[in-house]
Amino acid sequence: MSLALRVIPCLDVHDGRVVKGVNFTNLRDAGDPVELARAYGEAGADELVFLDISASTEGRATTREMVTRCAETVFIPLCVGGGVSSVEDVDALLRCGADKVGINTGAIRRPEAIDEITRRFGNQVLVLSLDARREPGQPSGFGVTTHGGKKSAGLDAIAWVKEAVERGAGEVLLNSMDADGTTDGFDLEMIRAVREVVDVPVIASGGAGTVRHFVDAAKAGADAVLAASVFHYATLTIAQVKDGLRAAGIEVR
């Protein structure tokens, strides 16, 4: 577990451009991935997350070239996700310069993929990307979604995250689909629920709108805080977020 909190911008990439919407709909253009990656590296980001949200076969080929360009541009860890389902996919992205790889739908379809990937590359390479939302029918009250939050996977989010970490996932990117893009704050209850069952780092995602939101997520148990809209549209800078976290007594990098 890292002691210092990490602040991570997220690049949601669709057809070669960074986009951002609310609850994964009404996507707006936010710029060129490589240019944004460079700017965030210079602005003090601790890591970058690059998600190919369309993850079509054609898109993924483009993504690999773009990942290579991003990796050549920034000197901070780069986590890449979108369409990952096998050892081969992970190998290809690591060769492009990714430091970590996120898996979501591929692991839901075939949980053994987690075991295979972490046996080959180590658990520090694999991040479970979890798109979760409130689902009253699930034991924990939180369910897993796929296809950008459009489909329920019929899985309890807390049970699934526990299984994925037991299989070897070294980190959890916890994205609240209810809060995504709303700028109303992170789902603190969900962060606490995941924190209780796993001992690997948890990255909180979805809902950041103010510096206070980042502080709240850290206090709820997040090891890293991720945001897109507030950084892409210059509502907040990484420096402002880090200053606010420090002022609240939270150690940052």
Side-chain angles (χ1 to χ4, degrees), residues 68-94:
T68 303
R69 286 168 56 215
C70 281
E72 287 166 353
T73 304
V74 297
F75 305 99
I76 52 177
L78 181 63
C79 175
V80 182
V84 171
S85 60
S86 67
V87 165
E88 292 71 29
D89 292 337
V90 174
D91 187 53
L93 289 169
L94 293 176

Short mmCIF file of all heavy atoms in Angstrom, two decimals, residues 68-94:
data_model
loop_
_atom_site.label_atom_id
_atom_site.label_comp_id
_atom_site.label_asym_id
_atom_site.label_seq_id
_atom_site.Cartn_x
_atom_site.Cartn_y
_atom_site.Cartn_z
N THR A 68 1.81 4.00 -27.46
CA THR A 68 3.25 4.15 -27.69
C THR A 68 3.64 5.62 -27.66
O THR A 68 4.61 6.01 -27.00
CB THR A 68 3.65 3.53 -29.05
OG1 THR A 68 3.25 2.16 -29.06
CG2 THR A 68 5.14 3.62 -29.29
N ARG A 69 2.85 6.45 -28.34
CA ARG A 69 3.16 7.89 -28.38
C ARG A 69 3.02 8.53 -27.00
O ARG A 69 3.84 9.36 -26.61
CB ARG A 69 2.26 8.59 -29.41
CG ARG A 69 2.67 8.29 -30.84
CD ARG A 69 1.64 8.74 -31.86
NE ARG A 69 1.32 10.14 -31.74
CZ ARG A 69 0.10 10.67 -31.95
NH1 ARG A 69 -0.90 9.88 -32.29
NH2 ARG A 69 -0.10 11.96 -31.82
N CYS A 70 1.99 8.12 -26.25
CA CYS A 70 1.81 8.65 -24.88
C CYS A 70 2.98 8.23 -24.00
O CYS A 70 3.52 9.04 -23.24
CB CYS A 70 0.51 8.14 -24.27
SG CYS A 70 -0.95 9.02 -24.83
N ALA A 71 3.38 6.96 -24.11
CA ALA A 71 4.46 6.42 -23.27
C ALA A 71 5.78 7.12 -23.57
O ALA A 71 6.61 7.31 -22.69
CB ALA A 71 4.59 4.93 -23.48
N GLU A 72 5.96 7.53 -24.83
CA GLU A 72 7.19 8.25 -25.20
C GLU A 72 7.17 9.68 -24.71
O GLU A 72 8.20 10.34 -24.61
CB GLU A 72 7.35 8.23 -26.73
CG GLU A 72 7.76 6.87 -27.28
CD GLU A 72 7.60 6.77 -28.79
OE1 GLU A 72 7.04 7.70 -29.41
OE2 GLU A 72 8.04 5.75 -29.36
N THR A 73 5.97 10.18 -24.42
CA THR A 73 5.78 11.59 -24.06
C THR A 73 5.86 11.82 -22.56
O THR A 73 6.32 12.87 -22.11
CB THR A 73 4.39 12.04 -24.56
OG1 THR A 73 4.32 11.80 -25.96
CG2 THR A 73 4.15 13.52 -24.32
N VAL A 74 5.36 10.86 -21.79
CA VAL A 74 5.30 11.06 -20.33
C VAL A 74 6.23 10.11 -19.59
O VAL A 74 6.54 9.03 -20.08
CB VAL A 74 3.86 10.90 -19.77
CG1 VAL A 74 2.94 11.94 -20.35
CG2 VAL A 74 3.33 9.50 -19.99
N PHE A 75 6.65 10.54 -18.42
CA PHE A 75 7.61 9.75 -17.64
C PHE A 75 7.01 9.39 -16.28
O PHE A 75 7.68 9.37 -15.28
CB PHE A 75 8.92 10.52 -17.53
CG PHE A 75 9.45 10.89 -18.89
CD1 PHE A 75 9.24 12.16 -19.41
CD2 PHE A 75 10.08 9.94 -19.67
CE1 PHE A 75 9.67 12.48 -20.69
CE2 PHE A 75 10.52 10.25 -20.96
CZ PHE A 75 10.33 11.53 -21.47
N ILE A 76 5.70 9.15 -16.30
CA ILE A 76 4.99 8.69 -15.11
C ILE A 76 4.30 7.39 -15.51
O ILE A 76 4.10 7.13 -16.70
CB ILE A 76 3.95 9.74 -14.62
CG1 ILE A 76 3.03 10.18 -15.78
CG2 ILE A 76 4.64 10.93 -13.98
CD1 ILE A 76 1.94 11.16 -15.38
N PRO A 77 3.91 6.56 -14.54
CA PRO A 77 3.27 5.28 -14.89
C PRO A 77 2.00 5.48 -15.73
O PRO A 77 1.23 6.41 -15.48
CB PRO A 77 2.95 4.66 -13.54
CG PRO A 77 3.94 5.26 -12.60
CD PRO A 77 4.14 6.67 -13.09
N LEU A 78 1.84 4.61 -16.71
CA LEU A 78 0.70 4.66 -17.62
C LEU A 78 -0.07 3.36 -17.51
O LEU A 78 0.48 2.28 -17.69
CB LEU A 78 1.23 4.86 -19.05
CG LEU A 78 0.25 4.97 -20.20
CD1 LEU A 78 -0.64 6.20 -20.04
CD2 LEU A 78 1.00 5.05 -21.53
N CYS A 79 -1.36 3.47 -17.16
CA CYS A 79 -2.24 2.30 -17.08
C CYS A 79 -3.19 2.36 -18.26
O CYS A 79 -3.83 3.40 -18.48
CB CYS A 79 -3.02 2.31 -15.77
SG CYS A 79 -4.23 0.97 -15.67
N VAL A 80 -3.29 1.28 -19.02
CA VAL A 80 -4.12 1.26 -20.23
C VAL A 80 -5.18 0.18 -20.13
O VAL A 80 -4.90 -0.94 -19.71
CB VAL A 80 -3.25 1.01 -21.49
CG1 VAL A 80 -4.11 1.04 -22.75
CG2 VAL A 80 -2.13 2.04 -21.59
N GLY A 81 -6.41 0.52 -20.48
CA GLY A 81 -7.49 -0.46 -20.48
C GLY A 81 -8.40 -0.28 -21.68
O GLY A 81 -8.35 0.73 -22.37
N GLY A 82 -9.24 -1.29 -21.90
CA GLY A 82 -10.18 -1.25 -23.02
C GLY A 82 -9.97 -2.46 -23.91
O GLY A 82 -8.94 -2.57 -24.57
N GLY A 83 -10.91 -3.39 -23.88
CA GLY A 83 -10.82 -4.56 -24.76
C GLY A 83 -9.77 -5.58 -24.36
O GLY A 83 -9.38 -6.42 -25.16
N VAL A 84 -9.29 -5.53 -23.13
CA VAL A 84 -8.25 -6.48 -22.67
C VAL A 84 -8.91 -7.76 -22.17
O VAL A 84 -9.81 -7.71 -21.33
CB VAL A 84 -7.41 -5.85 -21.54
CG1 VAL A 84 -6.47 -6.89 -20.91
CG2 VAL A 84 -6.63 -4.66 -22.06
N SER A 85 -8.47 -8.90 -22.70
CA SER A 85 -9.08 -10.15 -22.23
C SER A 85 -8.10 -11.31 -22.13
O SER A 85 -8.49 -12.39 -21.71
CB SER A 85 -10.24 -10.55 -23.15
OG SER A 85 -9.77 -10.73 -24.46
N SER A 86 -6.83 -11.09 -22.49
CA SER A 86 -5.90 -12.23 -22.52
C SER A 86 -4.47 -11.81 -22.21
O SER A 86 -4.14 -10.62 -22.23
CB SER A 86 -5.92 -12.87 -23.91
OG SER A 86 -5.37 -11.95 -24.85
N VAL A 87 -3.64 -12.81 -21.98
CA VAL A 87 -2.20 -12.61 -21.78
C VAL A 87 -1.62 -11.87 -22.99
O VAL A 87 -0.79 -10.96 -22.85
CB VAL A 87 -1.51 -13.98 -21.59
CG1 VAL A 87 0.00 -13.88 -21.75
CG2 VAL A 87 -1.85 -14.55 -20.21
N GLU A 88 -2.09 -12.24 -24.19
CA GLU A 88 -1.57 -11.63 -25.43
C GLU A 88 -1.88 -10.13 -25.48
O GLU A 88 -1.05 -9.33 -25.88
CB GLU A 88 -2.16 -12.33 -26.66
CG GLU A 88 -1.70 -13.75 -26.89
CD GLU A 88 -2.25 -14.76 -25.88
OE1 GLU A 88 -3.37 -14.55 -25.34
OE2 GLU A 88 -1.55 -15.76 -25.59
N ASP A 89 -3.10 -9.77 -25.07
CA ASP A 89 -3.48 -8.34 -25.07
C ASP A 89 -2.57 -7.56 -24.13
O ASP A 89 -2.13 -6.45 -24.43
CB ASP A 89 -4.93 -8.17 -24.59
CG ASP A 89 -5.95 -8.72 -25.57
OD1 ASP A 89 -5.62 -8.84 -26.77
OD2 ASP A 89 -7.07 -9.05 -25.13
N VAL A 90 -2.33 -8.13 -22.95
CA VAL A 90 -1.49 -7.45 -21.95
C VAL A 90 -0.07 -7.32 -22.47
O VAL A 90 0.55 -6.25 -22.39
CB VAL A 90 -1.53 -8.19 -20.60
CG1 VAL A 90 -0.55 -7.58 -19.61
CG2 VAL A 90 -2.95 -8.17 -20.03
N ASP A 91 0.44 -8.40 -23.05
CA ASP A 91 1.79 -8.40 -23.60
C ASP A 91 1.94 -7.29 -24.64
O ASP A 91 2.93 -6.53 -24.62
CB ASP A 91 2.07 -9.77 -24.23
CG ASP A 91 3.53 -9.91 -24.67
OD1 ASP A 91 4.43 -9.66 -23.84
OD2 ASP A 91 3.78 -10.23 -25.84
N ALA A 92 0.95 -7.17 -25.53
CA ALA A 92 1.02 -6.16 -26.59
C ALA A 92 1.05 -4.75 -26.00
O ALA A 92 1.83 -3.90 -26.44
CB ALA A 92 -0.18 -6.32 -27.53
N LEU A 93 0.22 -4.50 -24.99
CA LEU A 93 0.17 -3.15 -24.40
C LEU A 93 1.43 -2.83 -23.61
O LEU A 93 1.92 -1.69 -23.64
CB LEU A 93 -1.09 -3.00 -23.52
CG LEU A 93 -2.40 -2.93 -24.32
CD1 LEU A 93 -3.59 -3.06 -23.39
CD2 LEU A 93 -2.49 -1.64 -25.13
N LEU A 94 1.98 -3.82 -22.92
CA LEU A 94 3.24 -3.59 -22.19
C LEU A 94 4.36 -3.27 -23.18
O LEU A 94 5.20 -2.41 -22.93
CB LEU A 94 3.60 -4.81 -21.33
CG LEU A 94 2.66 -5.11 -20.15
CD1 LEU A 94 3.09 -6.39 -19.45
CD2 LEU A 94 2.61 -3.96 -19.15
#
